[in-house]
Amino acid sequence: MSITAFHIIDSTLREGEQFAHAHFTPQQKLEIAAALDEFGADYLELTSPVASPQSEADLRLIATRPRRFRLLTHVRCNLDDARLAIDTGVDGVDVLIATSSQLRPVSHGLSVDEIIATGIAVVTEIRGRGLQVRFSTEDSFRSDPDDLVRVYRAIDRAGVDRVGLADTVGVATPRQVHELVSLVRANVACDIEFHAHDDTGCAVANALAALEAGATHIDTTILGIGERNGIVPLSAMMARLLTVQPDLVERYRLDMLPELDGMLAAILGVDIPFTAAVTAPNAFHHKAGMHTKAVIADPSAYEVLDPARFGRQRSILTGHRLSGRHAIRHRATTLGVELDDTHLRSLTAEVKRLGDRAPLDNDQLDALIRGWATA
Ligand code: HCA
Ligand code: CU
């Protein structure tokens, strides 16, 4: 089934601030917002103005800047928070309220009927002031689906722009996400947002399942930063959709993803994770002989993503014991060295013998190749 709509709500400056190592200065927030704007992010969600005086000042500052994205802030579902948010110059307000039996008593203690009444009042207030509004249930996947349907139907009737489902604890499976989003899709007319935590490594898969079931908006952060081990990484979401339905991501500057991830990693003082889709240092390195032979002949043999689409280059790692003669010949040709078959086989054997002790760096390998050329 094809996905009919996809919008990014980047929450690096809200969910991302909940990452253990994040503490953004106003200048850094401006830089991150400007880079995401250039990338083409549809919405940016910033920390609640209720969180701290500086959070409010930063939100107001970003609201004064020219932008293509829509600026959102994220507040608890009550009138006081909503009124302060409306006043900051944002384009829309994301509200959330816990609905699971685990979170309800420790969060607000309201019954489902009280949640509905508060939700309607808050949505009506925000809409009445001409802003977009999204209403989300926290911990949706440990909430009673009947309660959720009752809440969402009432909020939809109140004129909300989007309802949100949040896998707050990262417990949902793709199948559960598909089922619950389908249920909500069948009960509301408004757009649907999905927010996926990655505690069990399913955030991106869950986001895709949500889109396939009719969700229209996905929350991402640069590098996936967020509470605990974070949420859907922007780069991985782009990679996922590029292989599934490329038209959905055509309008974004995918070539900027390495720059975005690199910028945030530098701000945070961390490395880009070696597991990151697209932007990991080794994301387009090929190593074992079987792989390198095929990739030299046809890159699509072992690449589903074209590195050039992301402003990256493939590389063939050759100076190690898993190396094969095709990779070594490829490297030799790059150096302008011609090797006959016998020499190539002997050189490959030597690389493997040396590589058994330790991998060779490029200079060592190149010296070896040149040595054989003159042999
Ligand atoms: C949290 C809140 C939230 C909100 C998601 C949303 C979550 O920090 O617990 O507003 O949709 O994961 O539930 O990030
Ligand atoms: Cu979250």
Side-chain angles (χ1 to χ4, degrees):
M1 193 191 81
S2 82
I3 297 164
T4 51
F6 169 67
H7 305 276
I8 296 168
I9 298 184
D10 189 277
S11 189
T12 305
L13 297 177
R14 193 284 293 175
E15 175 77 50
E17 274 215 297
Q18 297 174 223
F19 173 54
H21 297 289
H23 178 81
F24 302 127
T25 64
Q27 188 52 38
Q28 288 169 339
K29 289 189 188 181
L30 285 170
E31 268 171 48
I32 292 168
L36 282 165
D37 198 33
E38 206 180 329
F39 170 76
D42 305 292
Y43 299 78
L44 259 61
E45 182 184 71
L46 267 70
T47 296
S48 167
V50 183
S52 74
Q54 190 62 50
S55 301
E56 181 180 348
D58 294 349
L59 179 61
R60 288 181 184 277
L61 173 68
I62 291 185
T64 62
R65 295 299 167 106
R67 59 179 178 272
R68 279 170 298 183
F69 61 81
R70 294 202 192 178
L71 180 63
L72 308 171
T73 188
H74 183 262
V75 296
R76 294 167 298 193
C77 187
N78 67 58
L79 282 172
D80 288 342
D81 282 21
R83 285 184 181 131
L84 180 57
I86 289 167
D87 203 38
T88 55
V90 293
D91 305 304
V93 183
D94 289 348
V95 302
L96 105 151
I97 190 159
T99 44
S100 70
S101 53
Q102 278 90 346
L103 290 190
R104 255 196 286 148
V106 290
S107 177
H108 48 67
L110 300 180
S111 68
V112 173
D113 285 331
E114 288 165 331
I115 289 173
I116 291 174
T118 310
I120 291 175
V122 169
V123 165
T124 307
E125 173 78 11
I126 298 169
R127 284 283 296 202
R129 298 283 295 276
L131 269 61
Q132 264 208 6
V133 55
R134 182 223 64 183
F135 173 96
S136 199
T137 62
E138 191 183 7
D139 206 8
S140 317
F141 291 83
R142 293 189 301 175
S143 301
D144 179 342
D146 294 337
D147 287 347
L148 290 180
V149 167
R150 207 147 69 78
V151 171
Y152 287 137
R153 284 175 71 99
I155 296 295
D156 187 36
R157 276 197 302 271
V160 80
D161 293 281
R162 290 187 303 286
V163 291
L165 288 83
D167 183 16
T168 306
V169 294
V171 69
T173 66
R175 190 186 294 263
Q176 286 168 337
V177 171
H178 198 279
E179 277 172 15
L180 192 57
V181 174
S182 299
L183 179 68
V184 176
R185 183 67 289 164
N187 278 282
V188 298
C190 63
D191 283 342
I192 299 178
E193 178 175 335
F194 179 64
H195 177 94
H197 276 265
D198 206 28
D199 299 71
T200 57
C202 286
V204 177
N206 284 345
L208 178 64
L211 288 170
E212 287 173 343
T216 51
H217 294 65
I218 299 293
D219 293 5
T220 61
T221 61
I222 303 173
L223 291 179
I225 61 168
E227 197 75 52
R228 306 184 303 284
N229 76 329
I231 67 164
V232 174
L234 180 64
S235 295
M237 192 70 231
M238 292 295 117
R240 176 67 291 167
L241 291 179
L242 188 64
T243 63
V244 172
Q245 210 180 307
D247 59 294
L248 295 174
V249 294
E250 249 157 33
R251 67 183 189 277
Y252 302 110
R253 286 273 313 271
L254 301 187
D255 61 306
M256 282 185 68
L257 290 171
E259 177 188 330
L260 283 169
D261 284 6
M263 174 188 70
L264 191 70
I267 287 175
L268 296 170
V270 301
D271 290 329
I272 296 177
F274 68 84
T275 48
V278 173
T279 61
N282 300 325
F284 298 103
H285 285 347
H286 301 276
K287 182 173 175 185
M290 213 171 72
H291 288 240
T292 52
K293 176 186 175 198
V295 164
I296 289 165
D298 174 6
S300 74
Y302 284 99
E303 278 175 3
V304 291
L305 301 168
D306 176 4
R309 189 79 175 76
F310 304 100
R312 298 211 57 189
Q313 283 183 337
R314 110 181 23 95
S315 57
I316 308 274
L317 300 178
T318 316
H320 54 82
R321 64 184 171 195
L322 306 183
S323 199
R325 68 196 145 86
H326 293 87
I328 292 175
R329 184 171 49 213
H330 182 68
R331 179 69 196 159
T333 309
T334 312
L335 297 174
V337 173
E338 283 301 321
L339 295 166
D340 66 27
D341 205 48
T342 317
H343 280 172
L344 179 63
R345 283 176 193 276
S346 304
L347 171 57
T348 305
E350 192 172 344
V351 169
K352 284 176 176 291
R353 203 167 43 245
L354 293 169
D356 254 341
R357 282 209 300 270
L360 288 72
D361 64 29
N362 284 345
D363 289 345
Q364 287 171 305
L365 178 71
D366 292 354
L368 209 59
I369 292 173
R370 291 201 170 94
W372 275 88
T374 52

